[in-house]
Amino acid sequence: MHRSHLTDRSLGTLLMTVKSQSQRWRRLDVTIPSNFEEILFSPLRMKDVAILEHASIRTWESSSNHARNELQFSLSAAPRLECVVLRSNIRVTFDGPVQHSLKHLTFHRDYDVKTHQADLGACLKQYPFLQTLSYPLHSSSLPKTLPAILNHTHIQSLNLRIHMGCDLGLLFHHLILPALTDLVLDIEDDWIPKKNWPHLLTLLKHSRPPLTSLTLIGFPTMERNLIECLKCTTDLRKLTARAVGCTDATLKALTVNDSDPSSILCPRLQCLDLGVDSCFSLEAKKALILSRWGGHGHGSHSSLVPGKELTELWASYKPDVNDISTDPAIAKCISEGFCLDFEWW
């Protein structure tokens, strides 16, 4: 205990010295016990960080932690911020004027402050030049006034972790994200949305983004809605859709018909993972692989041919069903470099 107190006292002294130089901070990258976070956050609350451009703050619960009030600060306190990575349960507010500096904002997965759609809407309005946003949502609360259309032309990567009945339907009907290339919707187990959740399709139709990666985790939309979404993602290279419960209908939609190139769905698809909730026949999996594999391992130029770029398929594995990799045609694809991975069902 004595050594622990000495360590805490020494760390506290060091952090007070760091705090005293906050006006000179340009980059702040710290990992500290949470009982010391008040020291480093006070300059942010006091707007004493005029030239801060990059902040990465991580805290952990230590054995000497004590109860504390929730800390809070406004991002507008640091007008030159370009990148924020937060792994600390500090409430961040978006209540300042429009700012053009912030490009990257990431709340780590274990960030546990309750947030609302109103916070997300305020963030998007205040920082119109955001390129990367990773944000948790706990409530459907929306701002009293929501613009008819929120056209955010710079976001390329959006990762939303959704909790406790937060329905994004209304917000998705107001958003346009024409630069979006990477979208992750990660729904926690504490909320199961309706099966016919149509709002992702609305977002994609309104935005027509150059989406290259789409990840849906715990997102049980209906299979036909997923297929309709894929019709809006002609640049898609990676698709992960877990808990949708896809069937042969999805694989058939993705199987290439060489006689009609204009009908190819996701012609640049390279990696496909439809999760263990999906159930496919061996025939449907074989048809998909053979139609989309171009023999990359033998130096062909198939990567330039629409619909011939698939290199990886994740498939559920049931011990009582024959392994498709033993099929001679599929074995040949694997020998040429195709990657067939299994997830136990």
Side-chain angles (χ1 to χ4, degrees):
M1 290 294 291
H2 181 62
R3 291 182 61 187
S4 174
H5 286 313
L6 283 176
T7 301
D8 282 359
R9 188 158 55 247
S10 300
L11 179 57
T13 301
L14 174 62
L15 292 178
M16 289 298 293
T17 302
V18 173
K19 172 187 172 182
S20 70
Q21 302 297 310
S22 63
Q23 291 183 345
R24 301 172 60 187
W25 291 353
R26 191 177 298 275
R27 181 184 182 95
L28 178 65
D29 193 339
V30 295
T31 302
I32 57 174
S34 59
N35 51 308
F36 289 99
E37 61 193 359
E38 164 68 20
I39 297 175
L40 289 185
F41 273 97
S42 59
L44 292 167
R45 297 206 316 274
M46 299 302 293
K47 300 184 178 182
D48 202 19
V49 285
I51 67 171
L52 184 64
E53 297 176 353
H54 184 285
S56 179
I57 303 172
R58 301 170 178 84
T59 62
W60 78 88
E61 299 292 326
S62 71
S63 58
S64 58
N65 275 359
H66 51 80
R68 62 167 176 80
N69 296 324
E70 182 180 79
L71 301 179
Q72 174 176 309
F73 80 98
S74 171
L75 276 187
S76 61
R80 294 177 60 176
L81 268 176
E82 296 179 4
C83 178
V84 177
V85 178
L86 191 62
R87 189 176 180 177
S88 176
N89 290 329
I90 306 296
R91 178 170 296 281
V92 176
T93 61
F94 309 97
D95 53 7
V98 172
Q99 295 183 356
H100 296 165
S101 59
L102 191 64
K103 304 296 191 300
H104 308 283
L105 178 58
T106 298
F107 293 82
H108 267 266
R109 188 174 188 87
D110 50 0
Y111 181 79
D112 200 33
V113 173
K114 299 298 183 287
T115 55
H116 312 284
Q117 284 195 71
D119 301 319
L120 176 59
C123 173
L124 293 173
K125 289 173 62 178
Q126 186 175 349
Y127 295 100
F129 283 80
L130 266 177
Q131 298 174 10
T132 302
L133 177 61
S134 179
Y135 198 79
L137 285 169
H138 294 83
S139 168
S140 295
S141 172
L142 282 168
K144 294 180 180 179
T145 58
L146 195 66
I149 293 295
L150 185 55
N151 190 353
H152 208 294
T153 58
H154 290 81
I155 283 190
Q156 300 171 22
S157 177
L158 178 63
N159 184 326
L160 297 179
R161 298 183 305 284
I162 306 164
H163 303 259
M164 294 170 54
C166 181
D167 192 339
L168 291 173
L170 183 58
L171 182 63
F172 269 34
H173 279 265
H174 287 262
L175 270 180
I176 295 181
L177 304 175
L180 192 65
T181 60
D182 182 10
L183 176 62
V184 177
L185 297 179
D186 185 353
I187 297 178
E188 298 297 319
D189 292 338
D190 53 17
W191 176 49
I192 302 298
K194 294 180 180 179
K195 282 285 186 179
N196 59 343
W197 202 82
H199 311 297
L200 173 59
L201 180 59
T202 300
L203 174 68
L204 294 175
K205 282 185 173 181
H206 287 173
S207 303
R208 293 291 174 175
L211 200 66
T212 59
S213 178
L214 174 61
T215 302
L216 305 175
I217 300 176
F219 195 90
T221 189
M222 296 184 73
E223 182 179 30
R224 65 174 179 268
N225 288 338
L226 175 63
I227 294 174
E228 289 299 312
C229 288
L230 297 181
K231 294 178 181 179
C232 301
T233 58
T234 56
D235 293 311
L236 198 66
R237 291 176 174 82
K238 182 178 181 181
L239 171 63
T240 300
R242 301 186 175 186
V244 175
C246 294
T247 67
D248 284 359
T250 299
L251 295 193
K252 183 177 180 180
L254 289 168
T255 299
V256 172
N257 179 1
D258 290 321
S259 64
D260 185 10
S262 64
S263 67
I264 299 175
L265 200 61
C266 304
R268 306 189 68 181
L269 190 64
Q270 297 174 355
C271 179
L272 178 62
D273 178 1
L274 296 176
V276 296
D277 292 322
S278 298
C279 184
F280 309 117
S281 66
L282 296 181
E283 293 76 13
K285 284 190 283 189
K286 179 178 178 179
L288 172 74
I289 294 171
L290 295 182
S291 75
R292 283 191 174 257
W293 174 246
H296 307 268
H298 291 287
S300 73
H301 298 285
S302 58
S303 61
L304 303 177
V305 179
K308 302 296 182 181
E309 296 187 35
L310 189 69
T311 60
E312 185 173 358
L313 173 66
W314 285 81
S316 59
Y317 178 73
K318 301 179 182 179
D320 58 335
V321 177
N322 290 333
D323 184 350
I324 192 177
S325 63
T326 61
D327 182 281
I330 300 301
K332 181 175 183 294
C333 294
I334 294 174
S335 70
E336 293 174 348
F338 187 83
C339 183
L340 182 61
D341 292 309
F342 294 103
E343 294 181 278
W344 285 85
W345 188 84

